[in-house]
């Protein structure tokens, strides 16, 4: 099968992670799990920590520690947060690792050999927090804490300072046509489309050459420029090469590259969609296959910031809502195209409604001893639920009504729908479709009131068994499709239905085979042990 590397950014933070970091990782993790269940080929997920740069150097000095010690502590916090949230990464890379530093030096050499680096004087407004020079168009006038006028970044609000240095420059201006050709030939390269259009607009604007080093006297915490110890390689060039380092660049990366999908936040789009593809082309490599971009999380309509004291910590969320509750909320509510708002009541309402009540309640009601005393996957009756070509023909045939046939059609088409949304980086839409089908199945169960049927009547028993069979088949499909998002809840549900490990894949997921006259491997099978409440309702924290 075809290989694929999924990646998050290597997170650049001088403090513990927040939900914005975790959102990137959960999106990538869900895509990885979905691909593995689809059995379409080997897949990996790389993440990590960027420990170089002026921001880290200054934060360490302020904390009275060394940059290396600060990075060690923060890397531990990120690993812990990723593990707590169930992120199944295969590679965690740090910019301090010898394999990475070797890859960066080789990459720099490739740029130099191509004649695309030159030394020049550079001056402009530098934002240490973003590790980036910013044009006037991306700045705003503010006052600092002493009431003095200052300039800040429009994107982050962080203060900028006028900086003049002699640096190495990369001939970015030479790559306007190659980048435009790449995007024209690959319309799905940057997703969602609004971000693709944004990059095309940038390419229509001025594209100045890029400063790719800093003076060593100003920035010592980084990789020295090969052959020039007076300069340090720019932190973003250093960081971006991590995607090659994890693949064994410069020797063994070709087994995977360029089958790579980067999951990134919109604030670092320019680095990944302009600078990185240009640098790769300059080094003789192809751009990544896809760049999947997401927006930010606000808290009650406000941007998360330490000064406002509204930074949401992932560990607290996992403690309050459980791993699957936290994952479900972020992936169900997060819309990549626009910023999404987070607050406690919203999480409780969504997770209780869709996981605890709708899905958990349906499993509990359809497997309860009072309604399914034999604890089996009941048999389906074609006489009660005959196959029809058009649901409007359902009148007068069997016991099923038009809405029941609509449910069967909706759930039968659900796996392909969900797959399409995952491929299109619209996981929230996949979950929307599943939630809608769960509601329809609850409606089916409630409509026919199986608890009212007379077990002593053979015809009634057949219909009761058929209602339960259809309901369990729907639940089996839901559990299978939800595995990439809520792995623990899905495992609990599928175990209750006695669906074995080898029967949980997405490729060839069949639904209600008996309706099509085919044998159902689950029919008559003893259900698994009662696993208790599928998802406990959450109370206010």
């Amino acid at each position: 099968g075809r290989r694929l590397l999924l990646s998050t950014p290597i997170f650049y933070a001088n403090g513990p992670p927040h939900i914005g970091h975790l959102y990137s990782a959960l999106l990538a993790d869900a895509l990885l799990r979905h691909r593995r269940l689809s059995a379409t080929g080997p897949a990996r997920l790389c993440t990590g920590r960027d420990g170089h740069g002026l921001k880290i150097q200054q934060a360490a000095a302020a904390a009275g520690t060394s940059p290396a010690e600060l990075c060690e502590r923060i890397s531990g916090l990120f690993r812990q947060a990723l593990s707590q949230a169930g992120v199944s990464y295969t590679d965690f890379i740090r910019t301090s690792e010898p394999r990475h530093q070797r890859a960066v030096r080789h990459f720099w050499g490739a740029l130099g050999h191509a004649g695309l680096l030159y030394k020049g004087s550079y001056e402009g407004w530098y934002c240490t927090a973003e590790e980036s020079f910013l044009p006037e168009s991306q700045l705003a006038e503010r006052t600092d804490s002493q009431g003095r006028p200052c300039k800040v970044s429009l994107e982050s609000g962080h203060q900028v300072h006028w900086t003049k240095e002699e640096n190495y420059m990369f001939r970015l201006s030479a790559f306007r046509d190659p980048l435009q050709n790449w995007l024209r030939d690959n319309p799905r390269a940057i997703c969602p489309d609004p971000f693709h259009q944004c990059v095309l607009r940038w390419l229509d604007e001025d594209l100045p050459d890029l400063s790719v080093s800093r003076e060593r006297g100003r920035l010592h915490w980084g990789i020295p420029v090969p052959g020039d110890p007076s300069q340090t390689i720019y932190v973003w060039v250093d960081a971006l090469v991590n995607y090659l380092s994890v693949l064994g660049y410069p020797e063994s990366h070709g087994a995977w590259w360029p089958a790579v999908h980067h999951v990134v936040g919109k604030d670092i789009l320019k680095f990944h969609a302009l600078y990185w593809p240009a640098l790769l082309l300059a080094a003789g490599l192809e751009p990544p296959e896809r760049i999947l971009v997401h927006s930010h999380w606000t808290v009650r309509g406000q941007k998360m910031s330490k000064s406002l004291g509204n930074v949401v910590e992932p560990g607290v969320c996992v403690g309050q809502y459980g791993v699957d509750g936290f994952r479900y909320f972020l992936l169900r509510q997060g819309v990549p195209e626009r910023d999404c708002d987070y607050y406690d009541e919203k999480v409780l309402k969504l997770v209780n409604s869709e996981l605890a009540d709708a899905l958990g309640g349906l499993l509990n009601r359809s497997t309860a001893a009072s309604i399914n005393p034999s604890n089996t996957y009941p048999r389906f009756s074609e006489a009660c639920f005959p196959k029809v070509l058009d649901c409007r023909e359902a009148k007068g045939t069997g016991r099923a009504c038009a809405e029941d046939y609509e449910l069967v059609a909706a759930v039968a088409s659900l796996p392909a729908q969900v797959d399409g949304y995952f491929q299109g980086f619209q996981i929230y839409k996949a979950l929307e479709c599943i939630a809608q089908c769960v509601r329809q199945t609850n409606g089916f169960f409630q409509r026919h009131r199986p608890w009212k049927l007379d077990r002593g009547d053979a015809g009634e028993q057949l219909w009761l068994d058929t209602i339960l069979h259809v309901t369990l088949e729907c639940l089996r499909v839901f559990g299978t499709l939800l595995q990439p998002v809520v792995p623990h809840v899905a495992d609990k549900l599928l175990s209750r239905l006695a669906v074995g490990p080898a029967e949980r894949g997405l490729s060839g997921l069949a639904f209600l085979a008996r309706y099509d006259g085919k044998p159902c491997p689950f029919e008559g099978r003893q259900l698994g042990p009662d696993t208790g409440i599928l998802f406990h309702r959450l109370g206010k924290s």
Side-chain angles (χ1 to χ4, degrees):
R2 181 180 167 281
R3 297 182 177 202
L4 179 67
L5 173 72
L6 285 151
S7 72
T8 74
I10 53 170
F11 299 110
Y12 188 57
N14 58 1
H18 54 67
I19 62 166
H21 298 119
L22 260 290
Y23 183 50
S24 293
L26 288 176
L27 286 166
D29 179 68
L31 293 171
L32 176 78
R33 290 174 182 269
H34 181 266
R35 183 182 166 83
R36 285 180 169 169
L37 287 165
S38 304
T40 50
R44 291 164 65 176
L45 169 56
C46 71
T47 187
R49 264 275 299 135
D50 180 3
H52 288 149
L54 192 59
K55 182 166 80 169
I56 302 297
Q57 183 178 299
Q58 291 177 348
T65 186
S66 71
E69 288 170 335
L70 178 68
C71 289
E72 189 66 36
R73 182 175 65 80
I74 294 171
S75 289
L77 294 174
F78 270 82
R79 281 181 181 270
Q80 181 184 20
L82 292 169
S83 298
Q84 279 181 335
V87 177
S88 50
Y89 60 87
T90 57
D91 299 271
F92 188 97
I93 189 158
R94 294 172 58 186
T95 50
S96 56
E97 293 180 41
R99 61 169 173 162
H100 174 70
Q101 300 199 7
R102 178 172 169 269
V104 171
R105 285 192 291 269
H106 191 278
F107 191 83
W108 182 274
L111 298 178
H113 290 316
L116 293 162
L117 298 177
Y118 64 94
K119 214 165 188 182
S121 182
Y122 193 88
E123 58 183 310
W125 294 104
Y126 193 79
C127 178
T128 302
E130 297 176 29
E131 293 287 11
S132 178
F133 282 99
L134 299 177
E136 288 281 352
S137 60
Q138 291 177 28
L139 302 177
E141 297 282 350
R142 296 284 188 274
T143 52
D144 64 16
S145 54
Q146 273 79 47
R148 295 171 302 200
C150 67
K151 288 183 183 287
V152 300
S153 163
L154 270 175
E155 171 67 34
S156 67
H158 289 109
Q159 197 168 344
V160 297
H161 301 279
W162 187 259
T163 306
K164 185 175 181 179
E165 295 180 353
E166 186 178 49
N167 298 334
Y168 282 94
M169 306 293 292
F170 169 65
R171 297 186 192 277
L172 180 64
S173 54
F175 286 88
R176 184 191 308 277
D177 288 347
L179 290 173
Q180 286 176 330
N181 292 338
W182 165 58
L183 291 176
R184 187 171 57 247
D185 295 342
N186 298 277
R188 294 176 72 245
I190 301 170
C191 178
D193 188 64
F195 296 113
H196 187 100
Q197 299 305 321
C198 175
V199 176
L200 287 173
R201 286 194 298 274
W202 285 338
L203 286 168
D204 285 334
E205 298 168 2
D206 187 33
L207 198 64
D209 288 350
L210 182 67
S211 172
V212 288
S213 73
R214 304 293 310 277
E215 290 177 351
R216 192 80 180 159
R218 200 183 293 264
L219 173 64
H220 60 80
W221 184 242
I223 302 172
V225 167
D228 187 349
S230 71
Q231 295 276 315
T232 300
I233 295 174
Y234 177 42
V235 63
W236 267 105
V237 177
D238 171 357
L240 288 163
V241 177
N242 95 86
Y243 303 125
L244 291 170
S245 306
V246 295
L247 299 178
Y249 178 81
E251 291 87 15
S252 53
H253 61 285
W256 293 78
W257 195 272
V260 176
H261 292 183
H262 297 320
V263 177
V264 300
K266 66 178 183 181
D267 55 316
I268 53 175
L269 176 61
K270 184 169 280 188
F271 297 98
H272 284 83
L274 276 188
Y275 305 158
W276 180 225
L279 289 163
L280 286 164
L281 290 167
L285 296 166
E286 291 181 58
E289 195 173 271
R290 297 188 81 191
I291 300 167
L292 307 172
V293 191
H294 65 79
S295 296
H296 295 159
W297 282 91
T298 57
V299 179
R300 297 188 185 276
Q302 289 186 303
K303 187 171 181 175
M304 268 192 287
S305 77
K306 292 175 189 173
S307 58
L308 288 174
N310 66 348
V311 175
V312 181
E313 294 181 21
V316 174
C317 296
V318 170
Q320 284 178 349
Y321 317 129
V323 178
D324 281 0
F326 177 52
R327 289 173 64 103
Y328 188 79
F329 174 78
L330 288 185
L331 294 171
R332 172 79 166 88
Q333 286 290 294
V335 179
E337 294 95 317
R338 62 176 184 267
D339 289 353
C340 300
D341 201 34
Y342 174 98
Y343 51 93
D344 190 53
E345 299 88 340
K346 192 177 183 181
V347 183
L348 297 181
K349 185 178 178 183
L350 177 84
V351 172
N352 282 340
S353 168
E354 295 189 358
L355 283 187
D357 298 345
L359 188 67
L362 184 64
L363 177 68
N364 186 49
R365 293 200 298 167
S366 58
T367 57
S370 58
I371 204 161
N372 189 354
S374 62
N375 196 41
T376 57
Y377 214 98
R379 300 192 176 279
F380 179 86
S381 165
E382 287 100 329
C384 292
F385 210 129
K387 186 174 177 68
V388 296
L389 297 175
D390 187 331
C391 63
R392 288 170 296 188
E393 299 171 13
K395 292 176 183 177
T397 59
R399 302 285 294 265
C401 65
E403 293 98 322
D404 304 336
Y405 286 97
E406 287 168 9
L407 166 68
V408 168
V411 179
S413 65
L414 191 59
Q417 235 181 337
V418 166
D419 184 65
Y421 284 133
F422 266 82
Q423 300 299 334
F425 194 51
Q426 294 177 305
I427 297 171
Y428 73 101
K429 283 193 176 179
L431 295 177
E432 211 172 88
C433 289
I434 295 170
Q436 172 59 27
C437 283
V438 172
R439 285 193 290 273
Q440 278 182 268
T441 312
N442 270 299
F444 165 77
F445 197 82
Q446 191 67 28
R447 185 162 55 246
H448 295 298
R449 300 173 175 246
W451 58 91
K452 295 272 191 183
L453 296 174
D454 180 7
R455 292 178 180 281
D457 182 297
E460 295 278 276
Q461 181 66 55
L462 271 181
W463 179 224
L464 170 60
D465 286 349
T466 301
I467 294 167
L468 293 180
H469 182 99
V470 171
T471 304
L472 297 189
E473 276 289 273
C474 290
L475 280 165
R476 182 175 63 82
V477 170
F478 305 150
T480 305
L481 295 175
L482 284 169
Q483 290 174 100
V485 175
V486 283
H488 302 293
V489 164
D491 175 61
K492 204 171 178 181
L493 189 159
L494 294 171
S495 296
R496 181 68 176 108
L497 300 184
V499 181
E503 299 169 317
R504 299 183 180 190
L506 294 174
S507 54
L509 174 59
F511 166 65
L512 206 60
R514 293 280 277 107
Y515 177 72
D516 291 311
K518 297 171 186 172
C520 171
F522 304 98
E523 193 174 63
R525 185 184 292 189
Q526 195 72 23
L527 295 180
D530 187 349
T531 47
I533 295 171
L534 183 66
F535 187 90
H536 287 269
R537 281 184 62 82
L538 302 172
K540 289 190 177 179
S541 57

